[in-house]
Amino acid sequence: MRTGMRHSDYLKNLLEDRKNELRQVDPIHEIGNQITSPPGATSLEENKIIAEYLEQTNLHTLANAVPEFKKTLILKKFFKMKRNQEVIVYIDHQGTTEELSGKVNAIGRDFVILTNLKDRIWIPYKTVISANSPAGVPTYENTHQNFIYDNDLKRKLTTNFGETVAKRDVLIHQFFEESLRGNLDRWNGLWIKAITAEETAWGKIVSVSEESILLQSFNSNREIVFKDLSHLISARFINRVILMGKTVLTTLFR
């Protein structure tokens, strides 16, 4: 629209009109001296619903595009949504379905760790048939954002990220997706029970290779191949005492 005014006069009038304009402060996006950009043109709750829908749609699109990774992608997403929450995992063991339950402690590249009052359980994704939340247990939102970052930790993460994260197990789980082999390698010396389709082996983790884990039980060693592994359970002290007693009796009456 032509006004017949020079640019300098037009700009002067425009600024004067802006100065006298009645402005309404947005009670949500303009608080104090700070102005935040709205995440979308719709209301906050609608934006959140749309974002969750898009995330799930993208996940299923990706999973259908690469069917060989679909199971792993879906399980990782499910367990990340349930971090520190109670879940039930159904696994295939010796041709039957076995039920394991506990809180989701860590989500890896090819495994999940569940913890309960007694045990720590490593479950490879390849043995999982299905996973679900127990009935009657409340579902919490954004449980992956439950770690408190104090100012000192923020500074350490900014200035010395690698060393800071490597020293704390909870930070490793927060920032990285470990493989089962990498995770077990950090549990060197722990007594565990390794369950396969053919046997149950007890022992202390001595070493971990690309293909297997070596367990030592008193004077004997046992190598468990990862591809044969159903799941792993941390061995409690009482179980180790019972196993020691059985070993001593077997030695005496051999």
Side-chain angles (χ1 to χ4, degrees):
M1 182 180 67
R2 295 182 177 273
T3 61
M5 300 173 61
R6 290 182 176 273
H7 180 266
S8 58
D9 296 334
Y10 173 75
L11 184 60
K12 181 180 179 181
N13 291 339
L14 179 62
L15 293 175
E16 189 68 27
D17 292 340
R18 287 274 300 176
K19 187 185 298 183
N20 299 327
E21 185 181 44
L22 181 63
R23 270 188 87 248
Q24 292 184 349
V25 178
D26 191 311
I28 298 176
H29 301 293
E30 299 181 40
I31 302 174
N33 296 325
Q34 298 181 350
I35 301 176
T36 60
S37 299
T42 56
S43 60
L44 296 178
E45 71 277 5
E46 188 172 352
N47 286 334
K48 189 171 183 62
I49 293 173
I50 293 173
E52 291 177 353
Y53 169 75
L54 291 175
E55 185 178 0
Q56 293 172 7
T57 302
N58 291 336
L59 175 65
H60 282 284
T61 302
L62 178 61
N64 291 328
V66 281
E68 62 272 22
F69 298 115
K70 181 176 182 179
K71 179 179 179 180
T72 299
L73 291 171
I74 297 296
L75 284 174
K76 281 200 296 186
K77 176 61 178 176
F78 173 78
F79 288 128
K80 285 179 179 179
M81 293 170 58
K82 302 297 179 183
R83 192 188 294 271
N84 291 331
Q85 297 184 41
E86 193 80 17
V87 296
I88 299 175
V89 179
Y90 302 92
I91 66 170
D92 181 16
H93 179 55
Q94 296 180 346
T96 61
T97 301
E98 184 175 342
E99 181 180 314
L100 300 172
S101 62
K103 288 186 177 181
V104 178
N105 177 262
I107 302 100
R109 195 181 312 155
D110 54 356
F111 75 102
V112 64
I113 296 179
L114 304 184
T115 57
N116 52 41
L117 294 176
K118 302 182 298 180
D119 304 311
R120 178 183 297 269
I121 309 170
W122 289 260
I123 307 174
Y125 292 149
K126 65 182 180 63
T127 63
V128 176
I129 300 175
S130 184
N132 196 13
S133 300
V137 176
T139 299
Y140 301 98
E141 239 180 327
N142 295 333
T143 53
H144 61 286
Q145 298 177 356
N146 59 358
F147 195 85
I148 299 175
Y149 295 94
D150 55 52
N151 290 330
D152 184 55
L153 180 57
K154 288 179 181 178
R155 179 183 58 79
K156 290 180 179 178
L157 288 173
T158 304
T159 59
N160 198 359
F161 180 83
E163 184 178 346
T164 303
V165 172
K167 287 181 178 179
R168 303 181 65 172
D169 193 60
V170 65
L171 291 178
I172 292 175
H173 296 159
Q174 190 82 4
F175 289 104
F176 299 104
E177 287 184 356
E178 293 182 294
S179 64
L180 179 60
R181 177 205 169 281
N183 185 269
L184 291 174
D185 195 36
R186 295 192 298 105
W187 289 93
N188 202 10
L190 178 72
W191 280 77
I192 61 170
K193 178 171 66 171
I195 296 95
T196 66
E198 291 78 20
E199 62 173 336
T200 298
W202 294 79
K204 178 175 63 175
I205 299 177
V206 177
S207 64
V208 181
S209 66
E210 291 292 337
E211 303 294 335
S212 64
I213 177 173
L214 182 63
L215 303 180
Q216 183 183 62
S217 178
F218 307 107
N219 295 325
S220 62
N221 292 336
R222 179 74 177 89
E223 186 178 15
I224 305 295
V225 181
F226 283 128
K227 67 178 182 179
D228 298 332
L229 193 64
S230 172
H231 59 287
L232 297 159
I233 303 177
S234 59
R236 289 178 287 164
F237 178 75
I238 185 64
N239 291 332
R240 290 158 55 183
V241 172
I242 294 173
L243 180 62
M244 184 184 297
K246 289 182 178 179
T247 304
V248 171
L249 291 175
T250 302
T251 306
L252 289 175
F253 294 99
R254 182 175 296 173

